[in-house]
Amino acid sequence: MSFRDLRDFTEMMRALGYPRLISMENFHTPNFTLVSEVLFWLVKRYEPQTDIPPDVETEQDRVFFIKAVAQFMATKAHIKLNTKKLYQADGYAVKELLKITSVLYGAMNTKGVEQVDLSEEDSSKFKFDLGSKIADLKAARQLASEITSKGASMYDLLGKEVELREARTESIARPLEINEAEKVMKIAINCVMEQVQKTKDMLNNVALDEASLEAKIEKRKLELERSQKRLQTLQSVRPAFMDEYEKIEEQLQKQYNSYLEKFRNLTYLEQLLDDHRRTEQEMFEEAANMLRLMQNRLKEEEQLLLKGATNDDSDVEIRDDDGSDSEMQDRQTRKQHTGTGTLLQGRAGIRIVGTMQGGDTEED
């Protein structure tokens, strides 16, 4: 849909005298009600005597309405409409509506009607004149078809004129017999009398049918009155189970209130449990961090102790340089044992707290 098509459509509808104001925003979304009203108005404007049902409440009614309008415009105005686009009732339907409005707008311009806002009287007068012209056109088409058929039958009869002329001449030359004429007249009179008798019998049957229908109507009225009285009595009487129903309803209300209270308590307890679990998780993470820090500190102390032990060994070797090699080995072995013992004692005095989870690195 283009802006130009929508603008032309609104201006043409305004010039044709459509009573409702059509905005350019009406076709941004599907609007089948407006499209059906416009189609019905255009069809009536083209031919007021047309009979198209305007019901569009159900899907089946809408499909039937679109098909009827498309068939009417195709047969009467030779305008081919796309039923699918019309059923969409959005911007694409404007192009299909523009086909009909352009024809009516062109006819109005050729007739010399100015493009102004027509009053109600002028628009009704224009509709009447257009309808009369369409009726005359319809009558002319019917007469043309009748003339064609009569001419064909006359041509066939004229072709048989040679044979019919002889038979006509013979029948005219034959003398008229009174007895045969009287017999034929009696037969015709009897046929007419039989038809009159049949008509009288039908009238009598109509009277009997009318009487029977009136009797049935009276009977139905009496049944309706009895049913209404019975309905009133049933509405005024209180059912026997209403007391039990009200008691059960009160119990149900109490049960529902207790259910709501328990549900609220359960929800509150679940929230507290989640908070407690979250707090424990935070404590576990904090303890794991503390354990990791302690492990790092112990490694640093071990490294410092090992460095101190190596420094002491080098000092002893420098002092006792004059001693034998066996004595130096004994001293080194003794110092290593003492250093290891002090490390074990230091480690035994420290309490290590942790979990079964592994550390971040392979050394941990």
Side-chain angles (χ1 to χ4, degrees), residues 40-65:
F40 188 74
W41 186 83
L42 290 173
V43 170
K44 286 293 183 182
R45 188 68 180 269
Y46 192 87
E47 186 174 355
Q49 286 81 14
T50 185
D51 187 11
I52 293 177
D55 297 333
V56 291
E57 295 179 357
T58 61
E59 182 180 359
Q60 187 175 3
D61 294 338
R62 292 181 179 181
V63 173
F64 181 77
F65 176 78

Side-chain angles (χ1 to χ4, degrees), residues 244-344:
E244 184 179 359
Y245 173 76
E246 291 177 354
K247 290 180 181 179
I248 294 172
E249 190 175 5
E250 291 178 357
Q251 293 177 2
L252 179 62
Q253 186 65 32
K254 291 179 182 179
Q255 294 291 333
Y256 182 70
N257 293 330
S258 63
Y259 165 74
L260 287 179
E261 185 177 358
K262 291 179 180 179
F263 183 76
R264 284 196 298 268
N265 295 334
L266 179 62
T267 306
Y268 178 70
L269 291 174
E270 287 179 352
Q271 185 178 1
L272 290 178
L273 181 60
D274 293 337
D275 294 339
H276 181 66
R277 288 176 177 174
R278 194 180 300 109
T279 306
E280 286 185 351
Q281 185 66 27
E282 290 177 357
M283 291 174 63
F284 288 154
E285 291 178 357
E286 186 177 357
N289 292 330
M290 291 294 294
L291 180 61
R292 194 176 295 110
L293 292 173
M294 291 175 65
Q295 289 176 354
N296 293 331
R297 194 180 302 163
L298 288 173
K299 285 182 179 180
E300 291 176 358
E301 290 178 357
E302 288 178 0
Q303 291 177 0
L304 291 174
L305 290 173
L306 290 174
K307 288 180 180 179
T310 54
N311 290 331
D312 292 339
D313 292 339
S314 62
D315 292 339
V316 170
E317 287 177 357
I318 292 170
R319 290 175 185 174
D320 298 337
D321 192 12
D322 296 333
S324 62
D325 294 334
S326 61
E327 291 177 356
M328 291 173 65
Q329 291 178 357
D330 294 336
R331 288 177 182 178
Q332 289 178 358
T333 305
R334 196 179 299 112
K335 287 181 179 181
Q336 288 177 359
H337 285 296
T338 55
T340 307
T342 54
L343 288 173
L344 292 174

Side-chain angles (χ1 to χ4, degrees), residues 81-123:
L81 299 176
N82 192 342
T83 56
K84 184 178 180 181
K85 292 182 179 179
L86 285 175
Y87 191 81
Q88 288 177 359
D90 53 1
Y92 293 100
V94 176
K95 293 184 178 180
E96 305 301 322
L97 295 173
L98 196 59
K99 297 178 182 178
I100 307 173
T101 53
S102 60
V103 172
L104 295 176
Y105 186 76
M108 187 180 68
N109 288 334
T110 54
K111 194 175 180 182
V113 180
E114 297 180 356
Q115 297 181 0
V116 294
D117 294 331
L118 300 175
S119 61
E120 294 181 358
E121 295 179 359
D122 295 336
S123 63

Side-chain angles (χ1 to χ4, degrees), residues 159-173:
K160 298 177 182 179
E161 177 62 21
V162 178
E163 299 176 359
L164 294 175
R165 187 183 301 165
E166 295 178 358
R168 186 170 60 249
T169 304
E170 290 179 0
S171 61
I172 291 171

